[in-house]
DNA sequence: AGCTATAGCC
DNA sequence: GGCTATAGCT
């Protein structure tokens, strides 16, 4: 049996918001350590890895491993009904045919209870190898989101060039081009505004703007995003949860398709 | 001659907003006591009863009974033009071919005057019997609206089950089901947040979500809604005006059509 | 009242 | 699939 209680429904709300535009159906794997998802987006380009550790919950127990096959759009409908500040409890039997979601108003006697039918989703469990990266950028997630949105107006590709102490986002379009350069920056009072660049080798990679646009749906989850890159390898975009993460792996475009 | 002056145009604005999606054309009956409407919505399911008593006006006079056949969409266009805080005067001759609407800014000399052509609408005056009800629920109108919207994402039917001190709104859909339970609750400081349940017999009725969605357009009119129910009878949903009301009568679905 | 999210339209 | 119009939320 799974029973996980979030102090605030908003955490799961943001997670689903971040994933629902990339993937329609996916398996949520529940174990004693928490809930995890590995999925490939519907266009088969973006790899998504979610981990909500038990520590993200107010209370959490899961006696046996359970796989919950969820339709993201239906789940989203239900989650939107709950108030963001409601307590949210997820409940599933050991061999469930439904996931129960219980929203409780903290102030008074109002309980909303939903049951979502589960799907049998044929989806291999993806093993994601630990990778080594040549460059790591930590920056404000909202700033990264704005850069991606801005550059997308110019071109379908976004080039990321990292040198010793700066990151350049570059976009070459038909009617013009644009670039944004940000430098390492430490704000001791507002650490969430800082930019940190850790570099072993310079990086020059190009990504599909469309997929970055999906990735930045995660912005409300965390004030910072961590971008890890390595030449000719998928880049990792990571948003930290209070206890866990939401990660996206995106392969760069190769020269002949840029 | 009719001459009715609202201190604020917003009252009529909200009334028209609440009705315009249900009924395209309707007769406004003006008498010395005020203005009233009895209409059936375009799908012939929902009965609408409006009463704006003379007391809702700053000044009101109506020497003879006048019927104003109004096209709601045109009226709405005109009313949207006026500022919500403007004073609004309705003027009509004894045998009018138009309704005049005069908006006056309170602070400065700005007068907007509109004339709306009347329609000859063939519509029987409906006599609505006083009914006896087994259960009466008073609750915040915004909360009722949210429940109706939320449940509508799951199913086309909404079941209302009332027991001694709680109301359960229940919805059974294809991909899942949901319910919201609220209990009697008195907030002495914010009385508009209170929930009051008066019960003679338990209630279990099902309504078409589509019509409830029309009814909740009235939410801005009043902080509370009163729902009166009786087995196998149309339910009454009432929003109080400062002096008068907007009421909707909706027949429950019967078992064979649920 | 302004902003954001959604639903219908092109 | 993107955009525009509408409606809900802060």
């Amino acid at each position: 049996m799974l029973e996980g209680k979030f102090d605030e429904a908003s955490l799961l709300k943001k997670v689903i918001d971040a994933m629902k535009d990339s993937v329609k159906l996916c398996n949520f794997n529940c174990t004693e350590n928490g809930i995890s998802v590995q999925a490939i987006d519907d266009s088969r380009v973006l790899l998504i890895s979610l981990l909500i550790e038990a520590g993200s919950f107010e209370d959490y127990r899961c006696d046996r491993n359970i796989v919950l096959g969820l339709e993201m759009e239906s789940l989203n409908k239900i989650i939107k009904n709950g108030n963001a500040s409601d307590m949210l409890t997820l409940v599933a039997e050991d061999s469930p045919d439904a996931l129960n979601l219980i929203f409780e108003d903290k102030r008074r006697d109002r309980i909303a209870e939903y049951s979502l039918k589960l799907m049998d989703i044929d989806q291999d469990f993806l093993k994601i190898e630990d990778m080594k990266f040549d460059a790591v950028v930590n920056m404000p997630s909202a700033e990264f989101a704005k850069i991606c949105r801005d550059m997308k107006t110019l071109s379908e590709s976004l080039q990321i060039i990292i040198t010793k102490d700066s990151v350049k986002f570059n976009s070459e379009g038909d009617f013009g081009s644009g670039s944004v350069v940000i430098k390492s920056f430490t704000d001791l009072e507002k650490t969430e505004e800082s930019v940190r660049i850790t570099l072993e080798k310079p990086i020059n990679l190009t990504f599909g703007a469309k997929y970055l646009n999906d990735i930045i749906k995660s912005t409300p989850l965390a004030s910072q995003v961590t971008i890890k890159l390595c030449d000719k390898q998928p880049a990792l975009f990571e948003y930290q949860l209070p206890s866990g993460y939401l990660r996206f792996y995106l392969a760069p475009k190769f020269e002949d398709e840029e």
Side-chain angles (χ1 to χ4, degrees), chain A:
Chain A
M1 177 151 178
L2 165 74
E3 207 172 319
K5 179 191 253 180
F6 291 104
D7 182 53
E8 302 238 314
S10 60
L11 176 62
L12 190 61
K13 200 173 186 139
K14 288 176 194 167
V15 167
I16 303 307
D17 262 340
M19 295 172 67
K20 70 173 201 296
D21 294 322
S22 301
V23 66
K24 281 200 176 62
L25 299 167
C26 72
N27 282 331
F28 282 64
N29 305 297
C30 310
T31 70
E32 58 175 348
N33 299 319
I35 298 179
S36 66
V37 171
Q38 280 77 31
I40 298 177
D41 85 307
D42 296 334
S43 57
R44 317 231 97 218
V45 170
L46 206 51
L47 196 65
I48 300 166
S49 175
L50 168 71
L51 174 63
I52 308 175
E53 288 177 320
S56 288
F57 294 83
E58 178 91 359
D59 292 313
Y60 185 85
R61 64 173 260 244
C62 182
D63 317 319
R64 276 178 222 190
N65 292 359
I66 300 174
V67 177
L68 304 171
L70 298 175
E71 216 226 321
M72 300 298 273
E73 194 183 322
S74 308
L75 175 59
N76 190 46
K77 278 184 185 170
I78 289 174
I79 286 193
K80 273 189 308 191
N81 295 350
N83 194 304
S85 64
D86 285 353
M87 289 188 294
L88 167 59
T89 308
L90 306 179
V91 179
E93 303 299 324
D94 276 344
S95 298
D97 54 8
L99 169 67
N100 294 308
L101 300 99
I102 301 143
F103 296 90
E104 288 172 82
D105 192 315
K106 282 166 188 147
R107 294 171 314 158
R108 64 181 187 81
D109 241 358
R110 178 179 178 281
I111 294 180
E113 195 164 352
Y114 297 89
S115 171
L116 176 63
K117 287 203 183 106
L118 299 178
M119 318 281 291
D120 200 356
I121 302 169
D122 186 22
Q123 189 175 272
D124 296 330
F125 188 90
L126 303 161
K127 174 88 183 98
I128 297 168
E129 307 284 333
D130 271 359
M131 288 187 261
K132 200 197 147 295
F133 294 98
D134 286 339
V136 178
V137 177
N138 285 281
M139 65 182 288
S141 59
E143 188 170 4
F144 176 62
K146 176 149 173 52
I147 290 168
C148 290
R149 277 195 306 268
D150 290 351
M151 296 291 109
K152 189 173 182 289
T153 63
L154 299 174
S155 157
E156 279 310 303
S157 292
L158 177 66
Q159 187 183 17
I160 302 181
I161 301 166
I162 310 183
T163 53
K164 190 170 167 299
D165 64 350
S166 77
V167 185
K168 180 175 182 177
F169 297 90
N170 193 50
S171 179
E172 304 285 336
D174 293 335
F175 62 82
S177 62
S179 70
V180 178
V181 178
I182 60 170
K183 305 217 164 187
S184 290
F185 166 79
T186 308
D187 189 323
L188 292 171
E189 291 184 5
K190 295 186 181 175
T191 54
E192 70 274 14
E193 298 273 305
S194 298
V195 175
R196 198 169 72 238
I197 301 168
T198 314
L199 186 72
E200 279 180 31
K201 276 190 205 162
I203 291 288
N204 183 338
L205 293 169
T206 300
F207 298 94
K210 175 182 186 303
Y211 303 106
L212 293 169
N213 229 48
D214 287 332
I215 292 171
I216 60 174
K217 303 271 163 69
S218 300
T219 304
L221 271 174
S223 61
Q224 287 255 321
V225 59
T226 302
I227 309 170
K228 300 184 181 184
L229 305 107
C230 193
D231 196 35
K232 286 168 190 158
Q233 266 191 35
L236 166 57
F237 301 84
E238 174 169 328
Y239 296 82
Q240 290 286 339
L241 309 191
S243 179
Y245 53 75
L246 180 56
R247 292 177 179 160
F248 298 87
Y249 296 84
L250 175 62
K253 290 190 174 185
F254 296 107
E255 282 180 26
D256 53 3
E257 52 171 329
E258 270 170 30

